[in-house]
Amino acid sequence: QEHGNHTATRFAMLANGTGGLIATAENTFEFTAGHYTARQLFAARHPSDLVAHQETFWHLDWHQSGVGTHTCGPETLPQYRIYPGTYQFNFRLRPFKGARVPEELLR
C-alpha cells in the first residue's frame, strides 16, 4: 500500500558514490525510499503537486498489510493480513565507504 514499497527484501542500501548505509535483517523486511514525505504523498491530488526534497526518506518496515477493506472490493486475503499482536523487528544499519558495499556487510 505504501508508495514504492519493496517486499521480501534481504538487504537494502542507500549510497551516494562515496559511501552509504546498508540495512540487513535476519528475516526479510520491506522498505521505501524517496524524495517525498508521507504527508506530501497523502496530500497530493496529482503527481504534479509533489515537490521533491533533496533528502532521501528511507522507511524500513517489518511488513505491511495487503490492500483490501471491503469498502471498494474484496477483503484482503488471509495470507496478506497482519493480525493484532506484539511483533518485534530487528535490523542492523551499517555505514560503508566507497562505491561498493564490502561483502562482509551483506551477511
Side-chain angles (χ1 to χ4, degrees), residues 1-94:
Q1 287 179 245
E2 184 66 36
H3 171 78
N5 190 53
H6 295 265
T7 63
T9 303
R10 297 191 183 281
F11 70 91
M13 68 179 208
L14 288 179
N16 65 6
T18 63
L21 281 175
I22 185 166
T24 57
E26 253 183 61
N27 298 308
T28 60
F29 60 96
E30 301 185 11
F31 79 95
T32 61
H35 296 285
Y36 309 108
T37 66
R39 183 175 295 213
Q40 281 179 288
L41 292 169
F42 183 76
R45 295 185 66 158
H46 304 284
S48 61
D49 296 339
L50 296 167
V51 177
H53 288 265
Q54 183 176 359
E55 300 85 6
T56 300
F57 299 94
W58 196 22
H59 300 269
L60 304 174
D61 295 298
W62 170 66
H63 286 295
Q64 291 188 23
S65 186
V67 177
T69 62
H70 261 305
T71 58
C72 61
E75 183 68 35
T76 304
L77 295 174
Q79 65 266 34
Y80 301 115
R81 296 179 192 164
I82 297 176
Y83 295 95
T86 301
Y87 298 93
Q88 184 174 332
F89 170 51
N90 296 309
F91 61 91
R92 179 179 287 170
L93 286 177
R94 293 179 279 185

